[in-house]
């Protein structure tokens, strides 16, 4: 008897074998504009490789087979080993091979930071968990470079494009990863409350370059399998927190006394191991000035916050591409979803949001290209003021964005077999890590106060662009008024200030770099009331020109040659 009950129709084929870079008009234009055109060929090859079905399978496997902690050997010896699925190492090897852990430092050139941001953006559309060790290693390099005696023996291994996953003393490896340890149980983002202690190993030999024993804990310890970590601890006396380089193996080749207590069971970012640890007289070297650990580590955080913005913009792009692909194949009520005016409105609105995030993350990356002593006030403004605002806003927008894109898929988006559920679970992490929303907004205020010249340069640069632009001009005036509030009112308005600032920044970039109609729509729908995006859902673009909605979607993702082959 034939028990075939139905024919499978109207199901969407997986989106595979497409080029992530070639199909992204906004990204490709930004790469050329920001002086990174020399890296275009590499990005094109990377986009093709990441779009292949084989790499997408690696991403799914790495998140299904999560890391495991083995604290002891069968004989009872302390091990503290983290075991990853081979797919994780394959993905990390791809990142490393592209130089995304070190490119602007290992191969300095005009536009190197923009080239690296574009590559990171491409990889983040496929898999996010492998980004953490890449980001931490990348952000550690400028901090370590200031410690000449420490950095020189590490240089080759930090810059190496090999991925060496072996758990061995560093001298026996071809490359290294670096992690970070700041937060403790009692403080979280309030790292000044850290209680981990540091005692000099040799009496009288303290300060920069001296060896210490660390005792304490870290509640979130990133990349526990890394070859070294930068850690905050408190030396004796009223010195304040200092920063320490803590290797996985001590100079005599023994495993350092950093005991992994457990791995975190996280909502998303599941392919990446995050841990709790205790230091039991762990060996470390003080880097930077004694008592200046927070400023030392904050420099590292500036780079990790930039990567949070890039990663969230990438999640938005990935979710958008999947939503458009789905709508071009799925029929409902007698028509493809992509041909229905309301769905076109939703997709066009998402496309505008995604492009604004892409333009912003690329402009921020360009601001990091200049060395500190050669940086213009305008670039300082983008780097030190707009980066925390963007980290606050873009990372939050990714949560709503991925939810809307998942809804385009309907029930198929809510199950784990497809990528949308993973994107949605991944979205909150960048908002929380490296400083949550309130921390970022208060950092924006502090940066504006410290960098008054940079703040003035930003506002002056934006003034001519917003002149006459619907919504933008009134929003910029509203921002000026909020910045003039008394201190307590200004602090209470910190989220509104950060939100308005970043929306004006995005609006300016859209006017300068995007399609004029998209720029007008962005300002009209995000800033028409001068108070930022509030109480609005996607799919509420003006309906006066529905043909334009389709054109926006085509600009966001051209129809692929093989897209309609089922």
């Amino acid at each position: 008897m034939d028990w075939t009950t139905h024919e499978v129709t109207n199901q969407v084929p997986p989106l595979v074998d497409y080029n992530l870079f070639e199909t992204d008009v906004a990204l490709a234009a930004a790469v050329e504009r920001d002086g990174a055109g020399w890296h275009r060929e590499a990005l094109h090859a990377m986009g093709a490789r990441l779009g292949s079905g084989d790499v997408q399978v690696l991403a799914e496997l790495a998140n299904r087979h999560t890391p495991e902690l083995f604290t002891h050997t069968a004989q009872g010896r302390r091990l503290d080993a983290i075991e990853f699925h081979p797919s994780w190492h394959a993905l990390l090897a791809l990142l490393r091979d592209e130089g995304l852990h070190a490119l602007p430092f290992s191969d300095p050139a005009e536009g190197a930071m923009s080239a690296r941001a574009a590559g990171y953006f491409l990889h983040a559309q496929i898999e996010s968990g492998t980004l953490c060790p890449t980001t931490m290693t990348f952000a550690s390099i400028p901090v370590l470079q200031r410690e000449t005696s420490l950095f020189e023996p590490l240089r080759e291994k930090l810059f190496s494009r090999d991925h060496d996953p072996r758990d061995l003393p560093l001298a026996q490896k071809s490359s290294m990863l670096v992690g970070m340890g700041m937060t403790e149980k009692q403080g979280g983002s309030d790292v000044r409350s850290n209680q981990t202690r540091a005692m000099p190993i040799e009496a009288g030999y303290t300060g920069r370059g001296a060896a210490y024993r660390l005792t304490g804990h870290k509640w979130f310890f990133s990349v526990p399998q890394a070859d070294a970590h930068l850690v905050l601890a408190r030396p004796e006396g009223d010195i304040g927190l200092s920063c320490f380089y803590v290797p996985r193996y001590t100079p005599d080749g023994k495993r350092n006394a950093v005991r992994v207590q457990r791995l975190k069971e996280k909502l998303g970012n599941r392919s990446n191991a995050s841990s709790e640890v205790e230091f039991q007289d762990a060996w470390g070297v003080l880097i930077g000035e004694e008592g200046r650990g927070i400023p030392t580590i904050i420099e590292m955080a500036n780079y990790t916050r930039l990567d949070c913005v890039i990663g969230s913009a990438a999640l938005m792009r990935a979710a958008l591409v999947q939503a458009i692909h789905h709508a071009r194949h799925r029929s409902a009520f007698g028509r493809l979803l992509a041909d229905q005016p309301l769905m076109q409105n939703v997709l066009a609105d998402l496309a505008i949001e995604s492009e604004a995030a892409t333009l912003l993350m690329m402009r921020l990356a360009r601001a990091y290209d200049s060395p500190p002593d050669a940086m213009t006030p305008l670039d300082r403004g983008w780097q030190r003021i707009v980066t925390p605002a963007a980290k606050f806003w873009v990372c939050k927008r990714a949560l709503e964005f991925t939810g809307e894109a998942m809804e385009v898929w309907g029930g198929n988006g809510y199950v784990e077999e497809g990528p949308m559920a993973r994107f949605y679970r991944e979205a909150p992490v960048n908002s929380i890590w490296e400083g949550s929303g309130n921390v970022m907004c208060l950092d924006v205020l502090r940066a504006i106060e410290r960098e008054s010249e940079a703040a003035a340069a930003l506002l002056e640069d934006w003034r001519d662009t917003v002149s006459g632009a619907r919504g933008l001009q009134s929003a910029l005036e509203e921002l000026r008024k909020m910045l003039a509030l008394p201190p307590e009112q200004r602090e209470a308005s910190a989220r509104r200030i950060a939100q308005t600032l970043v929306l004006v920044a995005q609006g300016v970039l859209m006017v300068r770099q995007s399609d004029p109609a998209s720029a007008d729509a962005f300002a009209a729908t995000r800033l028409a009331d001068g108070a930022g995006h509030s109480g609005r859902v996607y799919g509420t673009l003006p309906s006066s020109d529905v043909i334009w909605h389709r054109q926006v979607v085509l600009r966001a993702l051209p129809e692929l040659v093989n897209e309609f082959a089922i």
Side-chain angles (χ1 to χ4, degrees), residues 71-98:
T71 57
H72 293 80
T73 67
Q75 293 75 32
R77 296 186 180 89
R78 193 77 198 198
L79 188 61
D80 293 303
I82 317 293
E83 185 175 291
F84 293 86
H85 190 269
S87 58
W88 159 270
H89 292 297
L91 288 165
L92 203 50
L94 284 178
L95 277 160
R96 195 96 191 191
D97 184 55
E98 295 293 338

Side-chain angles (χ1 to χ4, degrees), residues 393 471 474-476 478-479 482 495-504 522-536:
W393 182 247
S474 58
L476 185 59
E478 178 70 11
L479 177 61
M482 288 189 289
R495 283 189 172 221
R496 192 179 183 91
I497 289 170
Q499 172 179 289
T500 305
L501 184 148
V502 77
L503 283 170
V504 171
F522 180 89
T525 52
R526 273 72 173 173
L527 286 165
D529 61 357
H533 182 106
S534 178
R536 180 183 166 277

Side-chain angles (χ1 to χ4, degrees), residues 124 217 376 385 388 456:
H217 80 282
T376 65
I385 297 171

Side-chain angles (χ1 to χ4, degrees), residues 13 23 39 184 224 232 316 327 411 451 468 474 503 513 525 548 551:
T23 52
H39 200 55
E184 298 185 1
L232 288 177
M316 294 162 77
E451 299 280 355
S474 58
L503 283 170
Q513 300 169 6
T525 52
W548 172 74
Q551 292 170 341

Side-chain angles (χ1 to χ4, degrees), residues 455-516:
L458 277 177
L459 298 178
E460 180 65 24
D461 180 62
W462 295 346
R463 186 185 61 180
D464 293 339
T465 301
V466 306
S467 179
R470 182 181 174 191
L472 273 173
Q473 191 166 7
S474 58
L476 185 59
E477 288 307 311
E478 178 70 11
L479 177 61
R480 289 182 182 275
K481 290 176 184 176
M482 288 189 289
L483 292 175
L485 289 170
E488 190 167 334
Q489 290 183 43
R490 193 164 63 243
E491 181 175 333
S493 303
R495 283 189 172 221
R496 192 179 183 91
I497 289 170
Q499 172 179 289
T500 305
L501 184 148
V502 77
L503 283 170
V504 171
Q506 286 183 309
V508 166
L509 293 172
M510 290 291 283
V511 169
R512 291 174 178 173
Q513 300 169 6
S514 183
D515 171 77

